[in-house]
Amino acid sequence: MSDYEVKSGDFVAITRLDGIDQIIQYGAGSHAGHSALVLEIDGVMSVIESQDGWYWPKHGIQQNSWAQWKKWALNADFNVAILPLS
């Protein structure tokens, strides 16, 4: 997905194939182990989430630029689905 296709308000469904997300998915009846939201804030496309994984450089509730978040998601082996909300 190109950067210009990501819009403010898009839902980000995330799965890491590490075993832990699969336990979360089974217990919650979900298809994602983690979720985030893309929002445009002060002209910057950002990802808003609460994250505390050992593989993630920041912890807690956070706002990261879309460009930075994509790099971290790739390094964390995230499987990401962007779902536009209407």
Side-chain angles (χ1 to χ4, degrees):
M1 177 172 270
S2 299
D3 286 347
Y4 68 87
E5 295 177 289
V6 176
K7 306 288 185 219
S8 187
D10 287 354
F11 176 76
V12 184
I14 305 157
T15 297
R16 277 187 90 234
L17 301 175
D18 61 356
I20 295 173
D21 270 6
Q22 288 64 52
I23 292 170
I24 293 168
Q25 290 169 293
Y26 178 76
S30 175
H31 294 286
H34 181 64
S35 59
L37 188 64
V38 177
L39 291 175
E40 185 175 350
I41 300 173
D42 296 329
V44 177
M45 202 62 73
S46 301
V47 178
I48 310 300
E49 66 181 329
S50 178
Q51 176 67 267
D52 201 33
W54 60 267
Y55 47 81
W56 203 252
K58 289 173 67 177
H59 298 274
I61 298 171
Q62 54 195 280
Q63 171 187 341
N64 300 299
S65 73
W66 172 247
Q68 180 63 65
W69 188 89
K70 286 191 314 182
K71 292 176 187 175
W72 290 344
L74 182 62
N75 289 339
D77 292 326
F78 278 3
N79 181 9
V80 177
I82 308 294
L83 306 169
L85 300 179
S86 59

